[in-house]
Amino acid sequence: MSEEQLLSLLQGAWGTVLLSGLTLLLGGIAGLALALARVSALPPLRRLAAAWIQLIQGTPLLVLMGVCFYGPALAGVGTVEALPAAATAMLIYASAFLGEIWRGCIQSVHKSQWEAAECIGLSRWQRMRMIVLPQALRMATPPTVGFAVQVIKNTSVASLVIGFAELSYNAKVLNNSTFQPFLYFGSAALLYFAMCYPLSRWSRALERKLHAHRR
Amino acid sequence: MHTVVELQGVHKRFGSNTVLRGVSFQVARGEVVAIIGKSGSGKSTALRCINRLEQIDAGQISVCGHALHAAGLDLRGLRRDVGIVFQGYNLFPHLTVLQNITLGPTAVKRMPVGQAQTLAQQVLARVGLADKAEAYPEQLSGGQQQRVAIARSLALQPQLMLFDEVTSALDPELTGEVLKVMEQMASEGMTMILVTHEMAFARRVADQVIFMHQGQVWEQGGPEILDAPVTPELRSFVGTGL
Amino acid sequence: MHYEFDFASVAAHWPLLLQGAWTTVQLSFLATLLGFVLGAACAVARGSRYGWLRAAVSGYVELIRNTPLLIQCYFLIFGLSSVGVTMPIMAGATLALVINIGAYSCEIVRAGLESIHHGQLEAASCLGLSPAQVFWHVVLLPAVERVWPALTSQFVLMMLASSILSSVGAEELLGVANRVQSDTFRNFEVFLLLWAAYLALACLMRAGFWLLGQLVFTRRRKLGTPL
């Protein structure tokens, strides 16, 4: 592998990191909103959020990307940039899954905590913000870190319909011209592994610590 | 064969903890032996060594003609001859009562299913649960589950039955039904070894009582030793009723 | 809004799209079945007393779970053809999916196996059952019943992810839809249709697994309680 080919792979890896970071940040915000909607006191809001999450979780990411890439044509937008389209699709996808994970964590905070907070006169929002969410978020850390691994891997889908220049895209381009699949896809795999494996390990360690603490 | 079980100088260690220090006793055919003692005295461990759930470090054990300390032991043959009932019943939750009982005969003795089911119905009747054949364990009370566990072992027609604190996990009003079944088995001539806390039962049914303390057979004899203990340890054990 | 929806020209290709959907169903069915068997075998191997076997399975599972399915596909399919192994595209695609599903199923089934109480194993072995018999009668079925929801979710996700195989030329639903796109230039309509189609497939798949669970796990059907 020449130096510029290696550089191309590393630039692709940077694209992966960039897209992953945007996804987690924006998807995280949207996911929190969805989680709160799912546990809201208003039944229509709960049902809407639940339906939306079901919809997104039943959609292939690739299809979502297609919709986000070709959709803007409806509003008369001429050219769609790769990164915004990919980031939009991924944030929709991530928010649905993170919303479900976090809803599960909020609901598994013991009911007695809610009741105790109500007894000291806190409003619903105060209860959520000061008592329940901090505990829920601590429980949520292991699966969220685990989901970050999914996000990094799923950025590869952006190389297909949208053609965003992340790691998989660059590796494919290199293979197209040199026909050395083991070298380039193998190197790409190594780079993905280097990004994902530490997070996987960390997630498992967090999980163990959490359960040890609760025992 | 008159002696069904013989232990000689049995030692057992768990890591650095020596649980059995030279345990020796014999059980004759048709005898009912009650093993009593405080927790940690090694009584459950001694029982579990008899059907090879635990392996001994030194000494000899002979059970139903099998030499457990020797190489080339036919473990499955041993397990067919020795039945065991656990404190936690350990019924298979995904199988009905009937299926729990027929599993042993069909899988191990290669009995045809129809024959196994007839046998199962018979042992169920013996423990007084003939109408519960199609129930699942979770639908039964603790006492009923334990009786099914006894039936499950009986279906293999063992020569020896081991009972490991089988009533300790039950509510007091449910222990009676289980003890009744065990008493009936004793009167029918089954060789039984029970680790138990039920002193009244031991007094009434046991032929031999073995008191274990600190991994040794501390005192043994007929059930009268419960009323007239010789050693101070047994005296304080019986006195506290533990 | 000056975009004119034209579903008609897309809908005209319905035989082709149906064929693609059927290919996706067949692909998912086969890959799920084989992947599950592979995963279950690996889950058992994880508890083996041979250190090398445990390490090999661990390595396989970690590698697959920390790299994207797309790269695994590219590596397998382009890699094989580069060393002269020509395999029909569908076979290659199925293989890639099986390897992927195997790794994820292994973890799920492993959790199920470990949830079986030790006392059950003792009781079974004390009835005289051989280790293989203990596994078959007392461990496997309850373990799979416990993790059935998790397995169902994973398999549905894999079916959705199979859309990626279009990138290596597999003529599954998305691959076929790409051809329709290049014919009609109605990209957005095609993707909307795909969205509906995959949602329907996901629903059908969930229903199918639920039905299978009811058939196989008699206790659950009769009592309705979790194990």
Side-chain angles (χ1 to χ4, degrees):
Chain A
M1 204 189 307
S2 76
E3 202 182 281
E4 56 186 37
Q5 289 167 330
L6 179 63
L7 195 64
S8 171
L9 280 180
L10 289 173
Q11 280 172 335
W14 170 243
T16 296
V17 170
L18 186 63
L19 183 56
S20 303
L22 276 174
T23 302
L24 286 168
L25 183 65
L26 300 172
I29 295 169
L32 188 59
L34 270 176
L36 291 172
R38 278 287 271 127
V39 298
S40 140
L42 307 163
L45 192 59
R46 279 203 309 269
R47 281 195 284 265
L48 203 68
W52 176 253
I53 289 176
Q54 284 271 54
L55 182 73
I56 300 301
Q57 288 193 337
T59 310
L61 183 57
L62 193 45
V63 169
L64 211 48
M65 294 224 173
V67 168
C68 290
F69 194 57
Y70 295 114
L74 257 76
V77 177
T79 48
V80 180
E81 289 296 309
L83 185 55
T88 309
M90 290 214 62
L91 90 84
I92 292 174
Y93 147 84
S95 65
F97 283 90
L98 282 173
E100 265 306 273
I101 292 172
W102 293 345
R103 173 199 59 93
C105 294
I106 290 173
Q107 287 184 328
S108 56
V109 173
H110 212 269
K111 195 155 177 278
S112 55
Q113 296 286 309
W114 283 98
E115 289 166 353
E118 193 174 347
C119 288
I120 60 178
L122 296 176
S123 77
R124 189 184 164 85
W125 175 238
Q126 283 174 321
R127 270 179 268 152
M128 180 65 85
R129 189 168 56 85
M130 302 200 297
I131 307 293
V132 178
L133 271 183
Q135 294 185 53
L137 259 40
R138 193 178 62 231
M139 257 192 278
T141 314
T144 305
V145 172
F147 185 70
V149 174
Q150 301 300 323
V151 166
I152 294 174
K153 291 188 294 177
N154 277 311
T155 56
S156 57
V157 179
S159 67
L160 296 177
V161 167
I162 296 184
F164 175 61
E166 43 70 62
L167 184 48
S168 301
Y169 185 86
N170 287 6
K172 182 110 194 307
V173 164
L174 285 169
N175 182 57
N176 287 346
S177 54
T178 63
F179 297 106
Q180 290 178 288
F182 289 130
L183 178 62
Y184 293 110
F185 296 130
S187 306
L190 275 168
L191 283 166
Y192 276 112
F193 193 83
M195 288 187 267
C196 294
Y197 186 64
L199 286 175
S200 295
R201 285 285 295 260
W202 188 30
S203 167
R204 283 202 287 266
L206 285 169
E207 176 89 36
R208 272 197 300 271
K209 235 174 53 181
L210 191 72
H211 282 134
H213 165 82
R214 295 177 99 204
R215 224 180 299 133
Chain B
M1 210 180 317
H2 190 63
T3 306
V4 175
V5 177
E6 183 165 357
L7 276 77
Q8 281 181 6
V10 169
H11 288 258
K12 172 69 188 165
R13 259 194 326 274
F14 286 112
S16 59
N17 186 23
T18 306
V19 178
L20 298 177
R21 304 161 200 271
V23 172
S24 307
F25 62 83
Q26 287 183 348
V27 178
R29 183 168 299 286
E31 235 191 324
V32 176
V33 175
I35 305 181
I36 62 176
K38 287 202 314 228
S39 0
S41 57
K43 50 191 201 300
S44 276
T45 309
L47 194 78
R48 287 164 65 90
C49 288
I50 294 176
N51 79 340
R52 230 354 183 75
L53 278 174
E54 307 289 352
Q55 286 191 46
I56 60 177
D57 297 313
Q60 298 187 338
I61 305 185
S62 298
V63 179
C64 302
H66 302 270
L68 271 63
H69 47 278
L73 169 69
D74 175 19
L75 188 61
R76 291 179 72 188
L78 171 69
R79 298 265 167 88
R80 249 176 282 147
D81 291 331
V82 181
I84 184 166
V85 184
F86 300 92
Q87 185 175 348
Y89 345 126
N90 288 332
L91 293 180
F92 307 130
H94 60 293
L95 300 177
T96 60
V97 163
L98 198 71
Q99 289 167 336
N100 260 275
I101 299 175
T102 56
L103 179 63
T106 51
V108 178
K109 288 185 162 175
R110 305 228 174 284
M111 203 183 276
V113 176
Q115 191 182 346
Q117 286 180 339
T118 314
L119 173 65
Q121 292 282 15
Q122 284 170 355
V123 289
L124 265 182
R126 269 174 78 182
V127 301
L129 288 170
D131 56 332
K132 295 286 182 189
E134 293 303 320
Y136 284 94
E138 69 195 78
Q139 295 173 302
L140 304 177
S141 74
Q144 290 170 325
Q145 288 188 52
Q146 196 61 296
R147 286 189 277 156
V148 172
I150 295 175
R152 184 173 65 176
S153 289
L154 279 179
L156 286 163
Q157 292 157 331
Q159 295 182 41
L160 167 69
M161 283 287 284
L162 306 176
F163 297 84
D164 192 356
E165 298 201 44
V166 301
T167 53
S168 299
L170 296 176
D171 291 332
E173 64 265 21
L174 297 174
T175 58
E177 61 195 66
V178 177
L179 293 177
K180 206 174 94 178
V181 168
M182 289 164 69
E183 192 163 352
Q184 191 181 330
M185 283 169 66
S187 70
E188 287 168 358
M190 173 64 78
T191 314
M192 298 161 58
I193 306 178
L194 14 145
V195 170
T196 185
H197 290 302
E198 300 285 333
M199 293 302 147
F201 184 75
R203 219 178 253 122
R204 193 170 67 245
V205 179
D207 301 306
Q208 192 188 154
V209 174
I210 294 174
F211 171 65
M212 286 193 64
H213 182 71
Q214 290 176 353
Q216 292 177 303
V217 173
W218 208 251
E219 193 173 336
Q220 68 183 107
E224 59 275 5
I225 66 169
L226 293 171
D227 295 315
V230 170
T231 58
E233 288 79 9
L234 178 55
R235 200 172 302 139
S236 82
F237 179 76
V238 175
T240 55
L242 268 169
Chain C
M1 200 178 353
H2 20 260
Y3 185 85
E4 283 161 32
F5 277 98
D6 177 15
F7 282 99
S9 59
V10 173
H13 288 82
W14 72 266
L16 190 65
L17 289 168
L18 202 62
Q19 180 67 43
W22 179 235
T23 305
T24 293
V25 168
Q26 288 176 310
L27 181 64
S28 304
F29 180 77
L30 194 60
T32 298
L33 190 63
L34 294 174
F36 171 69
V37 171
L38 176 63
C42 287
V44 174
R46 281 267 227 181
S48 153
R49 61 195 129 111
Y50 300 116
W52 62 266
L53 186 59
R54 288 198 308 270
V57 171
S58 273
Y60 154 64
V61 168
E62 289 303 322
L63 184 66
I64 298 298
R65 285 166 59 103
N66 289 293
T67 50
L69 176 60
L70 187 63
I71 294 291
Q72 291 163 20
C73 282
Y74 285 161
F75 190 87
L76 186 72
I77 289 166
F78 294 127
L80 282 179
S81 73
S82 80
V83 291
V85 178
T86 44
M87 197 190 279
I89 290 187
M90 286 315 292
T94 311
L95 186 62
L97 267 187
V98 168
I99 292 174
N100 195 287
I101 293 178
Y104 285 92
S105 306
C106 173
E107 287 299 275
I108 296 174
V109 173
R110 181 94 216 127
L113 294 179
E114 282 170 2
S115 75
I116 302 298
H117 207 259
H118 185 60
Q120 302 271 302
L121 308 178
E122 275 192 350
S125 125
C126 286
L127 288 174
L129 270 63
S130 70
Q133 287 176 322
V134 172
F135 180 74
W136 182 252
H137 292 282
V138 175
V139 178
L140 188 61
L141 215 63
V144 173
E145 182 176 344
R146 278 228 179 89
V147 297
W148 195 247
L151 278 176
T152 302
S153 295
Q154 189 60 48
F155 294 150
V156 171
L157 279 172
M158 290 320 311
M159 183 274 291
L160 298 175
S162 71
S163 50
I164 288 175
L165 297 166
S166 55
S167 64
V168 291
E171 293 282 292
E172 45 71 63
L173 183 53
L174 199 103
V176 152
N178 281 338
R179 290 211 297 182
V180 175
Q181 271 182 31
S182 49
D183 270 353
T184 62
F185 297 100
R186 294 274 133 193
N187 299 344
F188 192 65
E189 286 90 328
V190 171
F191 271 105
L192 282 183
L193 215 65
L194 276 174
W195 201 347
Y198 274 107
L199 274 172
L201 282 175
C203 277
L204 279 168
M205 205 169 167
R206 279 197 181 275
F209 273 104
W210 179 83
L211 210 66
L212 187 63
Q214 294 292 98
L215 276 167
V216 173
F217 307 124
T218 15
R219 192 207 60 93
R220 188 182 216 125
R221 184 177 73 237
K222 287 186 186 163
L223 299 185
T225 51
L227 196 62

